[in-house]
Amino acid sequence: MSLHEYLVLGVVGAVGGQIVPVAELTASLKESGTRMTFVLKGLQASGLIERDRRAGDRRTVEVTLTRVGRARLAEAEGTARSWLRRHADLQPVG
């Protein structure tokens, strides 16, 4: 999983299973729309997210985590915490 994918899953996962509009996700992560579309297509192809158009406004695309996406995010968060614990003694160079 790339850092961008992890960040996207983290933001979507942080809202507790609610739907996140792609425009808000893009703004939150300060990404370009093109980059976000690329990342979301990959996550959707991997079965980690679902993307749907809002029923009342077809211009708005919304994202939710799938069951597999929630499990993969939990796994990635565990890996990140483990890495941080192992490397907590790193000191800045300078």
Side-chain angles (χ1 to χ4, degrees):
M1 173 181 305
S2 74
L3 178 59
H4 281 100
E5 292 169 332
Y6 174 69
L7 292 173
V8 169
L9 291 181
V11 170
V12 176
V15 297
Q18 295 178 356
I19 296 169
V20 178
V22 171
E24 289 180 24
L25 185 58
T26 302
S28 175
L29 293 173
K30 296 179 177 42
E31 287 286 350
S32 71
T34 302
R35 175 72 178 150
M36 186 59 67
T37 297
F38 176 79
V39 171
L40 293 175
K41 281 184 179 182
L43 291 170
Q44 186 175 24
S46 298
L48 304 178
I49 64 164
E50 291 180 358
R51 289 187 309 163
D52 293 301
R53 299 230 176 245
R54 183 180 287 169
D57 181 359
R58 303 285 300 157
R59 296 171 296 171
T60 301
V61 178
E62 300 172 321
V63 178
T64 55
L65 287 181
T66 63
R67 181 185 50 77
V68 174
R70 284 189 298 276
R72 186 73 188 272
L73 176 60
E75 178 184 324
E77 287 174 332
T79 300
R81 280 191 298 275
S82 176
W83 187 91
L84 289 171
R85 279 192 299 276
R86 282 194 316 268
H87 299 287
D89 60 341
L90 291 177
Q91 299 296 318
V93 177

